[in-house]
Amino acid sequence: MNNPKYKIQKTELLSDNWYILNRVTVDYQKKDNSWDTQVREVYDRGNGAAILLYNKSKGTVILTRQFRLPSYLNGNKSGLLIEVCAGLLDEDNPEACIIRETEEETGYRLPSVKKVFEAYMSPGAVTEILYYFIGEYDSSMKISAGGGLETEHEEIEVLEIPFDQAYIMIESGQIKDAKTIMLLQYAKINNLV
């Protein structure tokens, strides 16, 4: 992080109640070599991983449904979102994280996963980079009901949906989660299902 075009002048902690929210003052050098100063709030919640579970022979995907307070506060009347399985890295590498999260949330124990890309989700305000995976599942991998961890206050519904139906749910507005849309589009482009 030592780019001479950017000079962090001050970082002020605003909150560390859930994750870290800082107010950062940065000087940056513009193309004409003059300097400008910006003050921005930056939310650091750590990095995460997400996975699309798919079954090629059945033509299905595994998605989850759970309450998301920020979506409720921004007009989602039920507060529920349909999403791919995902979670924060919590000191794990991305692959270990997503294998753990898959088991906790969906009840499927995957022997392997494939990383397909990574992306910043909201780079104007959030530091998080998300690692995207795909994983093929079958019924023999189902070892529990899933549903998340009670200690993390998770109440996750596991959904097995025909891929074509899930893809249509993007256009109908039933799926509004960016990571889910990105992975469903990856699956469509690459003929996974």
Side-chain angles (χ1 to χ4, degrees):
M1 272 191 20
N2 287 333
N3 187 327
K5 291 182 172 250
Y6 309 104
K7 297 177 183 172
I8 304 297
Q9 297 301 330
K10 181 167 46 169
T11 301
E12 304 165 82
L13 180 66
L14 300 178
S15 175
D16 67 353
N17 185 39
W18 187 248
Y19 299 110
I20 305 295
L21 179 62
N22 285 314
R23 180 182 296 121
V24 179
T25 304
V26 60
D27 292 338
Y28 73 96
Q29 191 173 28
K30 298 179 353 180
K31 289 178 184 176
D32 67 3
N33 289 326
S34 66
W35 288 86
D36 196 17
T37 301
Q38 289 186 355
V39 179
R40 297 288 185 263
E41 290 183 3
V42 178
Y43 192 56
D44 184 351
R45 59 185 302 267
N47 295 326
I51 189 168
L52 178 65
L53 301 175
Y54 68 97
N55 184 305
K56 193 166 188 72
S57 63
K58 289 173 62 177
T60 55
V61 293
I62 299 290
L63 300 175
T64 65
R65 180 173 20 225
Q66 62 183 306
F67 177 72
R68 296 299 199 183
L69 177 61
S71 79
Y72 177 75
L73 295 174
N74 195 21
N76 178 5
K77 290 181 182 175
S78 73
L80 298 173
L81 283 182
I82 296 173
E83 307 174 44
V84 292
C85 174
L88 294 177
L89 298 188
D90 296 330
E91 307 297 322
D92 271 343
N93 67 58
E95 185 175 313
C97 165
I98 204 57
I99 289 172
R100 180 191 74 239
E101 287 291 333
T102 298
E103 189 172 325
E104 290 173 5
E105 291 188 6
T106 71
Y108 286 89
R109 181 175 288 159
L110 299 179
S112 64
V113 296
K114 177 184 175 188
K115 181 182 165 199
V116 292
F117 57 90
E118 55 189 68
Y120 290 98
M121 292 304 293
S122 188
V126 181
T127 61
E128 178 186 36
I129 193 165
L130 201 58
Y131 299 91
Y132 290 82
F133 292 87
I134 55 172
E136 195 162 4
Y137 76 93
D138 63 44
S139 60
S140 71
M141 298 173 187
K142 185 80 167 165
I143 62 163
S144 74
L149 297 179
E150 197 171 305
T151 57
E152 294 181 9
H153 307 282
E154 293 177 321
E155 186 177 25
I156 298 170
E157 182 182 357
V158 181
L159 309 170
E160 185 173 34
I161 301 173
F163 174 77
D164 292 337
Q165 179 185 339
Y167 200 76
I168 290 169
M169 292 168 75
I170 298 170
E171 189 173 343
S172 71
Q174 294 170 277
I175 293 178
K176 293 184 177 183
D177 173 67
K179 65 187 176 295
T180 305
I181 293 168
M182 291 166 73
L183 279 169
L184 288 170
Q185 288 178 337
Y186 177 89
K188 182 83 165 174
I189 291 167
N190 291 282
N191 297 311
L192 290 184
V193 187

